[in-house]
Amino acid sequence: MTRADRPLALTLGDPAGIGPDITLLAFEARFRTPIPPFVLLGDPDVLAGRARALGLGVKIKAIADASAALPVFAIALPVLPISVGAPVVTGRPVPANAGAIQQSIEQAVQLVQSGAASAVVTNPISKVTLASAGFGFPGHTEFLAALAGREASDAVMMLVGEGLKVVPVTIHMSLMDVMGALSTERILKTLEITARDVARYFGLARPRIAVTGLNPHAGEDGTMGREEIETIVPAIEAARRLGLDVSGPYPADTLFHAEARKSYDVAVAMYHDQALIPVKTLAFDTGVNVTLGLPFVRTSPDHGTAFALAGTGRASPRSLIEALRLADTMRRNADAAP
Amino acid sequence: MTRADRPLALTLGDPAGIGPDITLLAFEARFRTPIPPFVLLGDPDVLAGRARALGLGVKIKAIADASAALPVFAIALPVLPISVGAPVVTGRPVPANAGAIQQSIEQAVQLVQSGAASAVVTNPISKVTLASAGFGFPGHTEFLAALAGREASDAVMMLVGEGLKVVPVTIHMSLMDVMGALSTERILKTLEITARDVARYFGLARPRIAVTGLNPHAGEDGTMGREEIETIVPAIEAARRLGLDVSGPYPADTLFHAEARKSYDVAVAMYHDQALIPVKTLAFDTGVNVTLGLPFVRTSPDHGTAFALAGTGRASPRSLIEALRLADTMRRNADAAP
């Protein structure tokens, strides 16, 4: 079996959310548009029930081994079964299913680590559901880092959409906390991981990285904040000494229009909204969340569980489809690398 | 003379910057696209010299009174002369010309206050040039507020582009200072001025205002910052008690995609980049800067002096053209209001 002949491992996410819906819709889309083969890790009965609720004639097939996924994929949605702990009520998450949610992620990582799957794609989970069941991680990224034997700080989130790639240096913290969390060391580490993995997974020998400032107009020579001078510029200079193609800091407001986007391969921003406003403004339905810094490829749709939409037929599979395609593209690029 | 039969008053901005270039190009564009008539307040010799440098056959006509602008506009660019204090070297700003720059703005305000002009449109100025000549204001907005006898805090900046209108509550300050500068009172005042002037100038009886949070995910119920709960929500509630159509706080990253933009008429954001990233990502060449809260309409192109582009023929007049059109539209809406 060549490296290409393996399915993507797709987790089910919270079974009460839209994960089942968009999985079924993405699978069904394969007659109209190329969908890379995947194997779902989750409860086949939940999928079958959701298919009935949505009026979808999708055939679901439980398989015993990931190697059966490819021949099955043309005719049925292949599932490696993980039973839920409690009956699933669509739209109503329960802590009793936290175990099955977690197991799905663990098995996806095992499959990719053993070589049986080519990459991990995750459906949305609810932090609240998992935390109430004692899950000790803020989210997917940190859990995946732990499963891969990495530090949480090794995992770097990148958003991809409409040709734009953006990495926030800090993510889920208050804006007040950003100032204290930014350091030259942290920015430099983010730049190094970004440069290495964007090269590896996107077929770019030496990606051009554009770095934003923290303040308006990138601080305007220190007149509106000194973080650029004291923290960001030293990180850029250190990255350049390592041979990376890094420039900036640029004012964030003028870095994301069409003409500016041509000047770099990936932008590194200082905080959540600075990175996510441009990508979600441009690519709301098609944005993909990528985790860099892991020993395998992981992508996910760039949205949450959307419990209110589960089972209604109004959830769009577009972001999941983009996540499946991007995971497939990224691991093919990595396989093709010298 | 009806209210419509008056020119817009256009300042020259820094004569060493691209103000002369884009003024000439906007005037020349009137044969291809509708350009509302304007009178320029500035040095006719600077304009004539720049026209020669750019190879433009634009005729320039000094006039003694703004009332002559309309009949002249079809054949020549009408100028109310203000001589520069020192010879202009294109691309090289000098403090000696700060007086002429300032006078241009003062006369534009006088014209609109006397009724001889319908609105003020300003070309870009350089804060550094003006400050070195003792100009005591951070920028246009504060100077215009003072000329109009208003407090600087009465003047509210709004960016307009591609159908999006965004108002930042705080503007030119470091991100660290934003947290201290935001108050319920300040947000409420911004909401009141925005609601009143967007109604008046855009023909909307009761504009729908969407307010962003400060933190990622609008703080996610206080888990990532409490400014939403303690500062922003009270301002929204107070605005509603005043009868305004205000909602939020919304996560800023999901407020600016095409579908979301249909749900409001104007967004109010907490700080510079949160407001300017979406509008400049979507409308980099066509964004317009509007000052609300003044007793007259004022717009300007959403870019700076661009000294390096002056005289090169590479400056685009698109943003100035949009600023002229928007000023004309806004004051017509105000004139038509009951």
Side-chain angles (χ1 to χ4, degrees):
Chain A
M1 183 184 280
T2 69
R3 291 177 66 82
D5 292 326
R6 299 165 300 156
L8 301 167
L10 176 63
T11 70
L12 188 57
D14 196 310
I18 62 170
D21 309 52
I22 60 179
T23 298
L24 291 159
L25 292 166
F27 177 74
E28 217 198 23
R30 76 197 185 287
F31 296 121
R32 302 185 298 278
T33 185
I35 304 287
F38 59 82
V39 55
L40 183 88
L41 309 173
D43 194 317
D45 293 341
V46 170
L47 273 182
R50 197 67 53 86
R52 281 192 301 276
L54 297 174
L56 296 173
V58 171
K59 206 172 153 187
I60 291 146
K61 185 164 174 59
I63 58 175
D65 189 283
S67 62
L70 291 195
V72 163
F73 196 78
I75 51 162
L77 197 164
V79 178
L80 281 167
I82 298 169
S83 296
V84 291
V88 171
V89 180
T90 302
R92 302 254 178 101
V94 290
N97 284 330
I101 296 168
Q102 197 169 330
Q103 213 182 320
S104 176
I105 302 167
E106 286 164 355
Q107 288 197 8
V109 170
Q110 285 159 13
L111 287 178
V112 76
Q113 284 180 328
S114 74
S118 61
V120 174
V121 181
T122 58
N123 265 304
I125 58 177
S126 159
K127 288 166 200 174
V128 178
T129 309
L130 290 170
S132 65
F135 182 72
F137 301 90
H140 265 126
T141 309
E142 297 81 1
F143 186 41
L144 290 164
L147 291 173
R150 300 287 167 102
E151 299 290 321
S153 63
D154 289 333
V156 166
M157 178 166 105
M158 180 169 78
L159 285 302
V160 180
E162 294 287 324
L164 175 63
K165 300 182 187 70
V166 196
V167 171
V169 174
T170 64
I171 313 181
H172 290 123
M173 59 178 68
S174 73
L175 200 61
M176 178 66 95
D177 288 342
V178 168
M179 266 61 73
L182 284 178
S183 66
T184 297
E185 189 188 9
R186 183 166 181 165
I187 298 167
L188 178 60
K189 185 172 180 181
T190 304
L191 291 171
E192 288 186 71
I193 293 170
T194 301
R196 186 195 64 205
D197 279 7
V198 169
R200 178 184 298 171
Y201 294 123
F202 293 87
L204 298 163
R206 191 162 170 264
R208 297 165 300 164
I209 304 180
V211 180
T212 68
L214 173 72
N215 296 294
H217 308 181
E220 207 164 301
D221 302 319
T223 58
M224 288 189 288
R226 299 196 49 85
E227 289 87 351
E228 286 77 10
I229 294 167
E230 290 167 8
T231 309
I232 303 174
V233 167
I236 292 172
E237 288 175 349
R240 284 194 189 133
R241 284 194 295 271
L242 296 173
L244 308 184
D245 185 350
V246 180
S247 64
Y250 298 107
D253 58 338
T254 54
L255 193 60
F256 298 106
H257 61 92
E259 192 62 28
R261 297 200 299 273
K262 294 178 191 165
S263 68
Y264 55 86
D265 299 303
V266 53
V268 170
M270 293 300 121
Y271 57 91
H272 182 278
D273 278 5
Q274 209 183 31
L276 270 73
I277 288 175
V279 75
K280 292 203 172 186
T281 296
L282 293 168
F284 184 65
D285 284 336
T286 56
V288 177
N289 185 332
V290 175
T291 310
L292 305 178
L294 298 178
F296 49 81
V297 170
R298 179 256 175 161
T299 69
S300 79
D302 183 25
H303 57 66
T305 49
F307 292 115
L309 294 185
T312 66
R314 291 190 290 123
S316 164
R318 288 189 63 191
S319 184
L320 176 59
I321 290 173
E322 294 301 326
L324 291 162
R325 287 179 178 160
L326 188 63
D328 190 54
T329 300
M330 286 173 65
R331 65 96 189 176
R332 283 178 193 275
N333 283 331
D335 289 353
Chain B
M1 183 185 277
T2 70
R3 289 178 67 82
D5 291 326
R6 296 166 301 155
L8 301 167
L10 176 63
T11 69
L12 188 57
D14 196 309
I18 62 170
D21 308 53
I22 60 180
T23 298
L24 291 160
L25 291 166
F27 177 74
E28 216 198 24
R30 77 197 186 287
F31 296 121
R32 303 185 299 276
T33 183
I35 304 288
F38 59 82
V39 55
L40 183 87
L41 308 172
D43 194 317
D45 293 341
V46 171
L47 274 182
R50 197 66 56 84
R52 280 193 300 275
L54 296 173
L56 296 174
V58 172
K59 206 171 152 191
I60 292 147
K61 186 166 172 58
I63 58 175
D65 189 282
S67 62
L70 291 196
V72 163
F73 196 78
I75 50 161
L77 198 165
V79 179
L80 280 166
I82 298 170
S83 296
V84 291
V88 171
V89 181
T90 301
R92 302 254 177 101
V94 289
N97 284 329
I101 296 167
Q102 197 168 329
Q103 211 182 324
S104 175
I105 302 167
E106 286 165 354
Q107 289 197 7
V109 171
Q110 285 160 13
L111 287 178
V112 76
Q113 285 181 327
S114 73
S118 61
V120 174
V121 181
T122 58
N123 265 304
I125 58 177
S126 159
K127 288 167 200 172
V128 177
T129 309
L130 290 171
S132 65
F135 182 70
F137 301 91
H140 264 125
T141 310
E142 296 82 359
F143 186 41
L144 290 164
L147 291 174
R150 301 286 167 99
E151 298 290 321
S153 64
D154 289 333
V156 166
M157 179 167 103
M158 179 169 79
L159 285 302
V160 179
E162 294 290 322
L164 175 63
K165 298 181 188 70
V166 196
V167 171
V169 174
T170 63
I171 313 180
H172 291 123
M173 59 178 70
S174 73
L175 200 61
M176 178 66 95
D177 288 343
V178 168
M179 266 60 74
L182 284 177
S183 67
T184 297
E185 188 188 10
R186 182 167 180 163
I187 297 167
L188 178 59
K189 184 172 182 182
T190 303
L191 291 171
E192 288 186 70
I193 294 170
T194 300
R196 185 195 64 204
D197 279 7
V198 169
R200 177 184 298 171
Y201 293 124
F202 293 88
L204 299 163
R206 194 162 168 263
R208 297 164 301 165
I209 303 180
V211 180
T212 68
L214 173 72
N215 296 295
H217 307 181
E220 206 163 304
D221 301 320
T223 59
M224 287 188 288
R226 299 195 50 83
E227 289 87 351
E228 286 77 11
I229 295 167
E230 291 168 6
T231 309
I232 303 174
V233 167
I236 292 172
E237 289 174 350
R240 283 194 191 134
R241 284 194 296 272
L242 296 174
L244 308 184
D245 185 350
V246 180
S247 64
Y250 298 107
D253 59 336
T254 54
L255 193 59
F256 298 106
H257 61 92
E259 193 63 27
R261 297 201 297 273
K262 294 178 190 164
S263 68
Y264 56 85
D265 299 303
V266 53
V268 169
M270 293 301 121
Y271 56 92
H272 183 277
D273 278 5
Q274 209 182 33
L276 270 73
I277 288 175
V279 75
K280 291 204 172 184
T281 295
L282 294 168
F284 184 64
D285 284 335
T286 57
V288 177
N289 185 331
V290 174
T291 310
L292 304 178
L294 298 178
F296 49 81
V297 169
R298 181 257 174 160
T299 69
S300 78
D302 184 24
H303 57 65
T305 48
F307 292 115
L309 293 185
T312 66
R314 290 190 292 123
S316 163
R318 289 188 62 191
S319 185
L320 175 59
I321 290 172
E322 294 301 326
L324 291 163
R325 286 178 178 160
L326 188 63
D328 190 55
T329 300
M330 286 173 66
R331 64 94 189 179
R332 281 176 195 276
N333 284 331
D335 289 353

